[in-house]
Every structure is written in C-alpha cells, then in structure tokens.
Amino acid sequence: MDRPKVVVYQEASVDGRVAYTPDVSMLYVFGKWRGMMGDSTLYPELMEWIKSTHHPQAFLEGSGTFVRKDCKLDDLPLFHGDTQQLYGDFLPDSVLKDPKLQGWGVLVDSKGLCRNLLAWVDEGIHGLILVAKQTSPEYLADLQRKEYPYLVAGEERVNLPLALEKLRTQLGVTCICSAGGGKINGALLRAGLVDEINILVCPVVIGGMETPSLFDSPDLKIDDWPTKLNLISVQSYDEGHVWFRYEVIRE
Ligand SMILES: NC(=O)c1ccc[n+]([C@@H]2O[C@H](COP(=O)([O-])OP(=O)(O)OC[C@H]3O[C@@H](n4cnc5c(N)ncnc54)[C@H](OP(=O)(O)O)[C@@H]3O)[C@@H](O)[C@H]2O)c1
C-alpha cells in the first residue's frame, strides 16, 4: 500500500449523528456534547487504545470540526509575488527537524477557513494543512510566513488519495487516525480509503435532517453496493455505550 492505513474513530448517537445540530463547530459546543453523550472518560480512553494499538503518526480532521460555515475570517494581506513557488509542498526544516516532533495533526482546509487557529495541535504533534491548487495565494503565503507546513494535492479541493500518498512518501506516515466529522470521513469512504472503523455509540438519539452524521457523502446509485465490513470486536459498557470495531472488506 503506497498510502497510510486509515483508521476512523467516531463518537455517535444511536442514529449515527456526530453532532447535535448543523453548522456548529466542536470548539463552541464541546462541553454540552460531552454532557449529552455521557461517560466523559470513555472517548479519550478508546483514543488512547487506538494510539497504542495502531501507533498512528498522524491525526486527520476536516475544517468543519473547528469552524462554522459562516465564521468571520481575518483578512490576509494581498500577495503580489510569484505565486508559482507557493503551489509546491511546503515542509520547513524548522518543523521537520524539530527534536520535539513526533507526529502530525493533519487538517483538510483548501479554503483557509481555519486560518485563525494555527498552532501546535498537541505535545509533539504539529499541524499540517492539506490544500489544493484553488487555495488562495494569500493563505499559502500566510502559512509560509508562519513556517506552517502544507501539502498541495488536488485542483479544486484536496485530492485525498494523493494527499495520503504524499503523507506516506514524504513524511513516512504509515497509519493515520481520522477523528474528523461526517463529511471528511464520508469523502474518505467514497474514495475507498478507509481500512478500519471504530464507532463509540452513545445511548442517545439525536435525529434531524441536516445534522452531521457518520460518513456524510453522495448517495449510492441503484447499482452500487455499500461498503462491506467485517466485525473485529464489540464491547458494551455500564452506562449503555457500545464500541464497535470493524475492518473494511476489500473486494
Ligand atoms: N462525534 C465525533 O466523533 C466528531 C468528531 C469530529 C467532529 N464532529 C462534528 O462534526 C461536525 C463537522 O462535520 P462536517 O461533516 O460538517 O465537516 P467535516 O467532516 O469537517 O467536513 C468538512 C471538511 O471535509 C473536507 N471535504 C469534504 N468533502 C471532501 C471531498 N470530497 N474531498 C476532499 N475534502 C473534502 C472539506 O474540505 P474543504 O473545505 O477543503 O473543501 C472540509 O475540510 C461538527 O459539528 C463537529 O462538531 C464530531
């Protein structure tokens, strides 16, 4: 495989919702979400289990986890230089050779929506942005000014197979854990890039018509088949949570 193994980890209601209302970012409602889903220690415990089992060197998120669609963006200075040098991968030595670096917090953000949030993601984990040829030069110039790494993959939006291939070949990532929202996981699923699915089902029903759910993606056509899974394990917990672990069957 010339791409990393992709392990999805999601916390969902019984009806598969990964948020309780549309168009809110986790940053605004995290406390309320935790209270709704019950047992606040289980989700991080299972994440620790995924880390110690799969040893992912990268964690993938979509911009929808961090920003609302209508969020107010900081204006960036207009870029007047040679745009060509912006549209190659940018992996500065100041980050790559940092002795503290242990892995990557990878964010799909071709529109620069998360420009106000750039930082180290966690101890030893540095952020890295996936962008595309349509990403504005102002955003890329801003990333370069801040010595913030990015990989360019795709034209209008991020080409996920190519981006994963680059993570493998350029940064040696052999496993990536996607703990993002419904659309990013749906895009990975439709591109045939998901290898393992971990769902922590919480004892609530959320409902809704527009509320993000696991694997939001284009509808199947009449001759299509769903992605088939093989159950690896299932475990239930006292407060009514159930953890399903599946591998994707490749045909
Ligand atoms: N329960 C959980 O475990 C959990 C975890 C994380 C988040 N959440 C919740 O999930 C919600 C966010 O989910 P969401 O579905 O709105 O947003 P999302 O999953 O973050 O999806 C939007 C992101 O996916 C990218 N994307 C979508 N389709 C793509 C495609 N075909 N190819 C390439 N990139 C694609 C977009 O990139 P571009 O902008 O570059 O186009 C954008 O970065 C929030 O409410 C958050 O709180 C829940």
Side-chain angles (χ1 to χ4, degrees), residues 31-209:
K32 182 166 179 185
W33 172 259
R34 281 265 57 84
M36 277 184 192
M37 301 317 251
D39 198 334
S40 58
T41 56
L42 201 47
Y43 180 83
E45 271 172 33
L46 294 182
M47 178 54 99
E48 286 308 311
W49 183 91
I50 285 172
K51 286 184 195 169
S52 62
T53 304
H54 291 292
H55 305 289
Q57 304 96 343
F59 300 86
L60 183 71
E61 294 276 1
S63 57
T65 295
F66 303 106
V67 288
R68 298 161 189 252
K69 271 195 219 141
D70 59 351
C71 64
K72 167 102 182 68
L73 295 177
D74 284 353
D75 286 335
L76 295 170
L78 278 179
F79 181 77
H80 297 292
D82 172 16
T83 54
Q84 216 176 346
Q85 55 90 18
L86 296 173
Y87 289 90
D89 301 329
F90 180 67
L91 297 169
D93 277 352
S94 56
V95 176
L96 243 58
K97 296 196 172 152
D98 189 321
K100 292 200 298 291
L101 182 67
Q102 290 168 20
W104 299 98
V106 179
L107 177 69
V108 182
D109 189 19
S110 68
K111 301 179 185 72
L113 299 179
C114 295
R115 65 185 63 168
N116 304 348
L117 302 169
L118 303 177
W120 280 73
V121 175
D122 208 346
E123 188 71 18
I125 304 293
H126 200 287
L128 179 147
I129 314 289
L130 298 179
V131 296
K133 293 272 167 58
Q134 290 297 316
T135 301
S136 77
E138 284 73 25
Y139 183 44
L140 299 183
D142 190 51
L143 291 173
Q144 290 203 3
R145 257 193 311 274
K146 291 171 176 157
E147 301 255 295
Y148 209 89
Y150 62 80
L151 293 174
V152 185
E155 296 295 323
E156 292 205 358
R157 67 193 320 185
V158 173
N159 175 326
L160 293 169
L162 179 59
L164 289 182
E165 200 182 307
K166 285 191 169 194
L167 284 166
R168 170 97 197 210
T169 53
Q170 300 194 32
L171 299 171
V173 174
T174 56
C175 180
I176 187 165
C177 175
S178 176
K183 291 193 194 79
I184 191 65
N185 285 326
L188 288 168
L189 183 83
R190 287 288 185 253
L193 296 169
V194 177
D195 298 297
E196 179 177 314
I197 297 174
N198 293 267
I199 309 290
L200 176 61
V201 176
C202 304
V204 293
V205 175
I206 291 176
M209 302 289 275

